[in-house]
Amino acid sequence: MTQAHLGDWYLARGDGIRVARCRLLDECGGFGHGFSCRDGGGVDKPAAVLAAAGLSGRQLRILHQVHGARVVCSGADGGIPEADGFLVRRNPAGPVAGIGTADCVPVLLADPVSGHGAAVHSGWKGTAAGIAPLAVALLAGRGVRPAELKAALGPAIGGCCYQVGSEVVRAIGGVGVENRGGEYRLDLREAIRMQLEAAGVPAERISIAPWCTCCENGLFFSWRRDGDAAGRMLSVLGAEA
Ligand SMILES: [Zn+2]
């Protein structure tokens, strides 16, 4: 089961929409963040999402996400990179990193000490490829101590709704998988939580949003529930102006 840290999470309003926010990241002075709901269409309302996240008027950079394990620098030039993660600096002149999801896990990492952070898209393929711990390793290469990082794992499909086949169980090494009478249920965020802990992020600095996108029809899009008609939520991380 997903460990719900209800107390860490709340819904903030701004510009007519709601975004989920995590108090762990609120305490990372100078970083702004938010995980959009389906209000206003999520990724279709980037300006409203930025406003509700406290990042009004900032430049937003997004990725062409391909369920891989490539992480790029959000400040680098050049269009929309094919990748599934951004490294972010707490630099008010720099861009805000945006991740689109509809069941996959948006992972936001921030180091309040050094001002480095990362925004990652981790579905089962990205989790199997270890994109979240890769982001931690890349941040460590910039001088970040993993023990200083705070990690927020946003709204995503829970183990309650995510039935997967044996090929997924194999790819992910069984991590986060529960066998219920021969049916496999994958709790992606639990798998990522374990990866981050193994990478040196302390358990008490990792928080999982208390919502399953597939259960919460009124709040979130879900690819598993709605198929190709599903919209995408937008999760953002950047420096407050
Ligand atoms: Zn569910």
Side-chain angles (χ1 to χ4, degrees):
M1 293 292 291
T2 298
Q3 273 184 294
H5 298 263
L6 281 158
D8 288 344
W9 292 80
Y10 62 98
L11 293 171
R13 283 179 185 276
D15 213 354
I17 67 159
R18 294 169 292 181
V19 298
R21 292 175 58 108
C22 176
R23 290 193 171 85
L24 274 186
L25 294 193
D26 283 347
E27 291 158 7
C28 292
F31 277 109
H33 81 283
F35 300 84
S36 93
C37 300
R38 63 185 297 168
D39 299 354
V43 291
D44 294 334
K45 277 271 190 170
V49 174
L50 288 172
L55 297 165
S56 259
R58 302 287 311 288
Q59 182 205 349
L60 176 69
R61 289 207 67 200
I62 57 169
L63 298 166
H64 176 70
Q65 297 171 190
V66 293
H67 294 276
R70 183 162 179 252
V71 178
V72 297
C73 175
S74 67
D77 292 332
I80 300 178
E82 197 168 280
D84 288 272
F86 271 127
L87 299 183
V88 181
R89 291 294 303 273
R90 188 174 52 197
N91 169 10
V96 171
I99 296 290
T101 58
D103 284 344
C104 293
V105 184
V107 181
L108 301 182
L109 301 164
D111 175 4
V113 178
S114 71
H116 288 283
V120 171
H121 161 245
S122 191
W124 76 260
K125 288 182 182 171
T127 304
I131 188 169
L134 172 66
V136 173
L138 291 170
L139 289 170
R142 294 181 163 200
V144 171
R145 292 181 55 227
E148 302 284 359
L149 281 170
K150 293 187 177 187
L153 280 51
I157 194 164
C160 42
C161 294
Y162 198 26
Q163 190 179 338
V164 296
S166 54
E167 75 287 358
V168 173
V169 176
R170 263 197 305 277
I172 210 154
V175 178
V177 175
E178 191 186 340
N179 184 343
R180 292 190 195 168
E183 271 185 15
Y184 297 113
R185 303 296 179 109
L186 171 57
D187 185 337
L188 271 176
R189 290 177 292 185
E190 178 62 13
I192 296 166
R193 186 190 66 75
M194 286 192 264
Q195 290 180 330
L196 290 173
E197 268 198 68
V201 183
E204 68 274 15
R205 295 171 82 91
I206 303 171
S207 187
I208 294 177
W211 301 283
C212 165
T213 45
C214 193
C215 287
E216 300 279 354
N217 188 20
L219 263 182
F220 302 108
F221 296 118
S222 167
W223 188 87
R224 180 58 70 109
R225 186 186 65 228
D226 303 331
D228 289 338
R232 295 287 182 274
M233 277 85 72
L234 177 66
S235 301
V236 294
L237 178 70
E240 290 172 328

